[in-house]
Amino acid sequence: MQRLLAFIFEHKHWFLLVVLEVFSLSLFLGDGFYRRGLSAYISTSLTGHVNEWVSEGYAYFKLSEQNDNLLRENARLEQELVHLRRQISDAQAENILPQVLPSDSSEAVRGYAVARIVNVRHTLGEVYYIINKGSRDGIKKDMPVMSAQGVMGAVLNCSADYSIVIPIINPKLKLSCTVKGKGYDGQLSVNDGTTQPIFNGVPLHADIATGDTLLTSGYSYIFPKGLMVGTIKQKAYKRVGGASPFANYSVLLRTSFDGLTHVYVLLTQPMMEAQTLEDSTLKTDEQ
């Protein structure tokens, strides 16, 4: 017993520390205002953080679905924007009347259809334009096609809703032209491998100057007389062949094919009967 008392007395400060700690802990765990406030603070803070982590985790797993929804909405808005831009562009084109209609052949032109260029096809050095109007809109093969400034080409073929246009910059299309006010006739064409239109078949003595206006001559089953074509680019000419009596001139076309978006198809009646008669007669003569 003496040894126990001696041990306690020797380590009395440790026993005092334990007693004080137990007393302090009992006060802390007692039903007091400070304990309740601290407990509420800890539980609220912990609950808030847990809820925040759960919400962030749930939102993270929902990101994929939200991203898909945003992509679909963006695609829908983009489609509507493209559609509205096309409507605005078409409406603006409808209000731009081509100032190149013939004055003395207006009876042959019974109106025009405004069409938008939807594609440009290059094939072996030849170019073709596809427009978004066809037979449903009254368009037929061999109808003349204009830009807002001048002759653009002719309808090569058409379906119900689309047409293929061969432009005057295609080597396969030859356009009969005349010099305005001077009466010199010739042919406008583009040689293979070039993009420079040439007015050829003109007599060497013809008085043609730079800036002279070229119009369609009317010697055609497609183009009425008096349509704007372009202007003579340079007065200088060179012979076609060593002993040819004809000269040719480079031409600045009124139609600018760079950035061309809309065209006007003149709803003339193609003279297919005359073309058929000519072809059959010439074929008979050759035989």
Side-chain angles (χ1 to χ4, degrees), residues 45-231:
S45 178
L46 181 60
T47 303
H49 283 295
V50 171
N51 289 334
E52 183 179 359
W53 294 336
V54 171
S55 299
E56 290 181 354
Y58 181 75
Y60 177 79
F61 288 111
K62 294 282 289 183
L63 283 179
S64 178
E65 180 181 351
Q66 293 176 358
N67 185 59
D68 291 341
N69 292 335
L70 288 175
L71 288 176
R72 284 193 294 269
E73 180 67 12
N74 185 64
R76 184 185 66 81
L77 293 175
E78 186 69 23
Q79 185 177 9
E80 289 185 359
L81 178 61
V82 171
H83 182 66
L84 288 175
R85 284 177 174 173
R86 286 181 176 176
Q87 286 185 324
I88 293 173
S89 180
D90 291 346
Q92 290 174 340
E94 289 279 0
N95 295 326
I96 302 176
L97 302 181
Q99 304 297 319
V100 289
L101 296 180
S103 58
D104 57 350
S105 303
S106 57
E107 294 183 358
V109 181
R110 304 182 184 278
Y112 59 89
V114 180
R116 184 176 65 251
I117 296 173
V118 297
N119 195 18
V120 181
R121 180 71 178 270
H122 296 269
T123 305
L124 300 177
E126 301 171 3
V127 59
Y128 298 91
Y129 287 78
I130 291 83
I131 59 176
N132 68 336
K133 293 292 177 68
S135 59
R136 295 182 193 272
D137 306 284
I139 296 176
K140 299 179 181 179
K141 180 182 178 181
D142 292 338
M143 282 185 170
V145 182
M146 311 290 294
S147 70
Q149 294 77 33
V151 175
M152 183 268 183
V155 176
L156 184 64
N157 203 353
C158 63
S159 64
D161 299 305
Y162 295 92
S163 299
I164 298 177
V165 177
I166 178 171
I168 56 178
I169 57 174
N170 190 311
K172 286 189 175 181
L173 182 61
K174 313 296 181 182
L175 182 62
S176 179
C177 300
T178 185
V179 181
K180 182 180 180 181
K182 295 185 177 180
Y184 296 119
D185 298 328
Q187 188 179 69
L188 182 79
S189 61
V190 174
N191 295 328
D192 292 335
T194 68
T195 57
Q196 175 60 56
I198 299 295
F199 180 53
N200 51 54
V202 185
L204 292 174
H205 61 80
D207 181 20
I208 297 178
T210 301
D212 282 351
T213 300
L214 281 182
L215 305 175
T216 53
S217 66
Y219 301 141
S220 170
Y221 294 129
I222 298 178
F223 298 94
K225 182 179 180 180
L227 299 178
M228 173 61 68
V229 177
T231 56

Side-chain angles (χ1 to χ4, degrees), residues 36-50:
R36 291 196 304 270
L38 182 61
S39 176
Y41 172 77
I42 294 175
S43 61
T44 302
S45 178
L46 181 60
T47 303
H49 283 295
V50 171

Side-chain angles (χ1 to χ4, degrees), residues 265-283:
V265 182
L266 302 186
L267 302 180
T268 61
Q269 186 64 33
M271 293 183 283
M272 298 178 181
E273 182 179 350
Q275 180 72 60
T276 302
L277 177 62
E278 177 184 341
D279 293 342
S280 62
T281 301
L282 293 178
K283 184 177 180 180

